């Protein structure tokens, strides 16, 4: 059996109260000897605008149409009462509640400047209700108008406050999405730069081997093919994420984890370079996802820099260790800075800066510098919250 939520109970009570108040309006009109159909038309128009379920409203029934038409009908009814010379045509609480509800909808949901126009029309219709009964602007009408102004101010103020909260929420969501897309674009740059740099290095190697060792070209060409395929896959995934605005987009963000580091190191190895991964058994796979993704990016950027700035390195060592409650990632090479890459392929030098920001944001540290003797080493440590 499905239980009713508190919100559903409140909504049901409000609907019942509004219908009961509208029925009371009709009883009042009948008690004064007037035809019930004019106030009934006003009430039906207002009830349809307020109570029509959101999921079943046709597209043409916009908020501005819902709030303007019943108010216009109410004003026309009041004008007709004055022109026809009827005396003491009462207006009950049902119409008052309907007009206040329409005012709330107009201020909160109508697009600007329709919110102002529809809100003013609803307020005018509400303030004109006492004129039907008193037919003059004496002190009693002014007293009712003051009460109406208070109700209008409270309703419009509450709707305006909620509208401002909706706007702030929309802006915050937009800024969050924009920042996420900028981060995704940075990820795309790093992933593609890693693969394209590998393609460039292996292409140079293939050109040299074509003249000296043509029989050994197949592994190099296979590496170029694999790197190109992975680069295209990364771009395809990232473009899919950037096009998607749903909450599931973040799940397809092209970041890696500790398991992906193994493939990264294996794919880096080439006939002229040896890549080795040493993983401490204490390093488990249930570390926080953001830590694993940052560790993957550290290894990726370090390996890319080896290709760019130390193409003469013969061995690259990647170590994953867990001393205490921290994850330590180390990438070291034995290169002496020799490279044959074109100057345009060396990059702008912002990779380590971005990595340091990412590592620092997770409470870790990043150090990059020359090793004793020869080579370069990048070391990153991350807290993993484990004793």
């Amino acid at each position: 059996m499905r239980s009713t939520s508190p919100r559903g109970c409140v909504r049901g009570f409000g609907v019942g109260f509004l219908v009961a108040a509208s029925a009371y309006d009709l009883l009042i009109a009948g008690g004064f000897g007037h035809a019930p159909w004019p106030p009934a038309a006003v009430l039906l128009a207002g009830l349809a605008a307020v109570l029509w379920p959101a999921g079943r409203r046709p597209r043409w029934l916009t908020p501005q149409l819902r709030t303007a038409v019943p108010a216009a009908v109410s004003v026309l009814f009041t004008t007709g009462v004055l022109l026809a010379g009827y005396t003491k045509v009462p207006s009950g609480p049902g119409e008052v509640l309907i007009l206040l509800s329409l005012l709330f909808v107009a201020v909160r949901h109508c697009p600007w400047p329709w919110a102002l126009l529809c809100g003013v029309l609803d307020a005018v219709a509400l303030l004109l209700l006492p004129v039907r009964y008193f037919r003059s602007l004496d002190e009693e009408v002014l007293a009712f108008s003051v009460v109406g102004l208070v109700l209008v101010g409270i309703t419009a103020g509450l709707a305006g406050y909620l509208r401002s909260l909706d706007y702030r929420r929309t802006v915050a969501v937009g800024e969050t999405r924009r920042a996420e897309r900028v981060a995704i674009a940075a990820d795309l740059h790093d992933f593609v730069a890693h693969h394209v740099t590998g393609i460039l290095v292996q292409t140079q190697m293939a050109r040299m081997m074509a003249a000296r060792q043509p029989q050994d070209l197949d592994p190099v060409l296979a590496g170029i093919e694999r790197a190109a395929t992975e680069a295209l896959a990364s771009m395809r995934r990232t473009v899919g994420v950037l096009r998607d605005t749903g909450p599931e987009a973040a799940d397809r963000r092209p970041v890696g984890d500790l398991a992906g580091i193994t493939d990264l190191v294996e794919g880096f190895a080439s006939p002229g370079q040896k890549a080795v991964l040493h993983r401490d058994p204490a390093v488990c796979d249930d570390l926080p996802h953001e830590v694993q993704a940052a560790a993957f990016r550290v290894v990726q950027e370090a390996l890319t820099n080896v290709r760019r700035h130390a193409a003469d390195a013969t061995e690259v060592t990647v170590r994953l260790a867990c001393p205490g409650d921290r994850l330590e990632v180390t990438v070291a090479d034995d290169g002496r800075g020799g490279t044959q890459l074109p100057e345009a392929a060396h990059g702008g030098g912002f990779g380590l800066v971005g990595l340091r920001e990412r590592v620092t944001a997770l409470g870790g540290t990043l150090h990059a510098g020359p090793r004793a003797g020869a080579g370069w080493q990048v070391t990153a440590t991350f807290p993993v919250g484990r004793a």
Side-chain angles (χ1 to χ4, degrees):
M1 182 177 180
R2 186 176 179 180
S3 59
T4 305
S5 64
R7 183 176 181 179
C9 292
V10 173
R11 178 177 176 80
F13 176 79
V15 171
F17 185 79
L18 189 60
V19 172
S22 301
Y24 181 70
D25 284 12
L26 294 178
L27 291 177
I28 293 177
F32 278 79
H34 297 291
W37 65 265
V42 175
L43 293 172
L44 286 177
L47 288 174
V50 175
L51 301 182
W52 200 317
R56 298 181 180 179
R57 290 178 198 148
R59 291 186 176 182
W60 55 264
L61 190 58
T62 60
Q64 47 268 40
L65 189 63
R66 290 171 54 208
T67 55
V69 170
V73 172
S74 177
V75 171
L76 290 175
F77 180 39
T78 302
T79 304
V81 168
L82 295 177
L83 294 178
Y86 292 126
T87 59
K88 293 186 177 182
V89 177
S91 57
E95 190 172 356
V96 173
L97 292 176
I98 289 175
L99 291 175
L100 288 175
S101 299
L102 295 177
L103 174 63
F104 182 88
V105 173
V107 174
R108 184 174 184 186
H109 298 294
C110 286
W112 185 263
W114 286 104
L116 177 62
L117 297 177
C118 296
V120 169
L121 182 59
D122 292 326
V124 169
L126 177 66
L127 296 177
L128 288 178
L129 292 182
V131 179
R132 297 181 190 171
Y133 185 84
F134 295 101
R135 296 183 53 80
S136 64
L137 298 178
D138 55 12
E139 294 181 356
E140 292 180 330
V141 173
L142 294 177
F144 279 106
S145 299
V146 170
V147 176
L149 286 174
V150 172
L151 293 176
V152 167
I154 293 175
T155 303
L158 177 60
Y161 172 71
L162 294 177
R163 185 184 183 116
S164 68
L165 292 182
D166 294 339
Y167 174 75
R168 294 175 186 175
R169 187 181 301 109
T170 302
V171 171
V173 170
E175 288 295 323
T176 301
R177 286 179 176 172
R178 189 186 71 84
E180 180 68 14
R181 287 166 184 263
V182 170
I184 291 174
D187 287 346
L188 174 62
H189 170 270
D190 292 340
F191 271 72
V192 174
H194 174 79
H195 296 308
V196 172
T197 303
I199 293 173
L200 182 56
V201 171
Q202 295 182 84
T203 301
Q204 292 179 333
M205 186 181 301
R207 293 181 62 186
M208 292 186 297
M209 295 178 65
R212 302 176 185 176
Q213 299 172 291
Q215 69 278 6
D216 297 330
L217 272 178
D218 189 66
V220 178
L221 296 177
I224 294 175
E225 181 183 11
R226 181 174 61 253
T229 303
E230 291 175 355
L232 289 174
S234 295
M235 287 190 291
R236 189 181 302 110
R237 286 194 302 267
T238 304
V239 171
V241 173
L242 292 175
R243 286 180 175 176
D244 196 352
T245 58
E248 69 280 359
D251 296 335
R252 298 198 302 272
R253 184 172 171 177
V255 296
D257 52 15
L258 295 183
I261 294 178
T262 302
D263 297 332
L264 199 61
V265 174
E266 291 177 353
F268 180 82
S270 66
Q273 285 181 328
K274 180 182 179 182
V276 181
L277 173 63
H278 298 286
R279 176 168 175 171
D280 192 328
V283 179
C284 55
D285 291 327
D286 61 351
L287 297 179
H289 175 71
E290 60 273 13
V291 173
Q292 297 192 48
F296 181 90
R297 290 289 303 280
V298 167
V299 175
Q300 183 186 60
E301 181 66 25
L303 294 179
T304 302
N305 286 338
V306 171
R307 281 176 171 159
R308 286 176 174 170
H309 309 292
D312 61 338
T314 59
E315 183 174 358
V316 180
T317 303
V318 179
R319 297 183 184 275
L320 302 178
C322 240
D325 60 347
R326 304 181 72 82
L327 172 67
E328 185 176 277
V329 181
T330 304
V331 181
D333 66 83
D334 59 356
R336 298 182 180 273
T339 178
Q340 299 177 354
L341 292 182
E343 188 65 26
H346 287 179
F350 296 103
L352 288 178
V353 175
L355 279 184
R356 183 169 282 108
E357 292 179 355
R358 174 174 290 209
V359 173
T360 303
L362 295 176
T365 58
L366 179 71
H367 174 74
R371 299 173 62 192
W376 191 267
Q377 179 170 308
V378 177
T379 302
T381 59
F382 304 91
V384 295
R386 194 176 61 181

